[in-house]
Amino acid sequence: MAVNERYLEKLPYWAKLRPEEQDRVRRAAVQRHYARGQLIYDTESDCLGMVLVLSGSVRSYLVSDEGREITLFRSHAGDICVLSASCVMRQITFDTQMVAAEETELMIVNSSLTAQLSEQNIHVRCYLYELATERFSTVMWTLQEILFKRFDQRLAAFLIEEYDRTGETELHLTHEQIAQHTSSAREVVARMLKRFAGEGLVKMRRGVLRLTDIAGLRALNES
């Protein structure tokens, strides 16, 4: 699907491109729709290049040899991801996978053009390295959270993040989906949510989690 001009203007370096470079991006960029749970990118996929989230959200994660998923970060509307572009940025040395966490619309600038722009335009190159550095920092923070923070704190942090992002106290998430986002097991999530419900922090019904004590969840996250 051809990309609307207003989406192209969301590229942070768009104004720094020469007219001919803008035209190349205009012709090469594509818009794609992904259903909730649909795989966007994995180690067997062709290199995507640079991805801009237009709507919805994307979960980027690693899979261990035992099949355990570790969520590295989530990308929401307006975010750009380049960790799927290891063929563009050789400094990216580990493989991530990306899945649509909900109905999602992406704009993709293919890897070939992204690599060319990075070589020819210093503004593009600097932006890509700055973004990659920022994402690696996020990955390190995530690993520290997993290694050193109690799970009740991590779960509270995730619920508060969803509330702050959406403004909604009712989250339409299953235990399995929460487990994926918090890099845990479904059974562990179920037990902890049962404890949270007993403490009056949440109320549960099938497929819906209602946050009933935002201040209490914030306090737990910060404890």
Side-chain angles (χ1 to χ4, degrees), residues 21-38:
E21 291 174 330
Q22 289 184 344
D23 188 57
R24 287 159 62 195
V25 174
R26 193 176 288 113
R27 287 185 281 107
V30 295
Q31 188 174 336
R32 293 181 184 169
H33 177 84
Y34 293 87
R36 183 174 184 169
Q38 185 176 352

Side-chain angles (χ1 to χ4, degrees), residues 62-78:
L62 294 174
V63 180
S64 71
D65 292 338
E66 296 77 26
R68 181 188 175 190
E69 295 182 2
I70 299 177
T71 297
L72 301 175
F73 56 86
R74 294 181 296 156
S75 304
H76 304 291

Side-chain angles (χ1 to χ4, degrees), residues 104-162:
T104 298
E105 203 79 23
L106 303 180
M107 182 179 78
I108 301 173
V109 180
N110 66 59
S111 58
S112 175
L113 180 55
T114 300
Q116 291 173 21
L117 293 175
S118 178
E119 288 294 325
Q120 299 167 5
N121 190 306
I122 187 63
H123 301 288
V124 176
R125 186 182 315 139
C126 289
Y127 174 74
L128 291 178
Y129 280 113
E130 179 181 342
L131 181 60
T133 300
E134 178 183 320
R135 287 306 188 193
F136 279 123
S137 177
T138 301
V139 169
M140 292 304 298
W141 179 86
T142 298
L143 294 178
Q144 286 180 323
E145 291 284 292
I146 293 172
L147 291 172
F148 303 120
K149 203 169 187 178
R150 301 193 317 265
F151 182 66
D152 59 344
Q153 294 173 308
R154 286 167 45 208
L155 180 56
F158 169 74
L159 297 178
I160 288 297
E161 180 184 349
E162 286 298 287

Side-chain angles (χ1 to χ4, degrees), residues 158-209:
F158 169 74
L159 297 178
I160 288 297
E161 180 184 349
E162 286 298 287
Y163 169 74
D164 289 342
R165 182 176 69 86
T166 65
E168 300 289 338
T169 57
E170 286 198 351
L171 307 179
H172 294 266
L173 294 167
T174 65
H175 291 177
E176 181 64 31
Q177 290 166 338
I178 295 174
Q180 290 173 342
H181 288 305
T182 56
S183 303
S184 186
R186 184 185 61 79
E187 295 78 10
V188 175
V189 169
R191 286 197 298 269
M192 190 58 68
L193 286 177
K194 185 176 180 179
R195 195 194 94 179
F196 280 12
E199 295 174 354
L201 298 173
V202 303
K203 287 185 179 180
M204 295 182 289
R205 68 177 189 270
R206 188 174 182 85
V208 178
L209 183 66

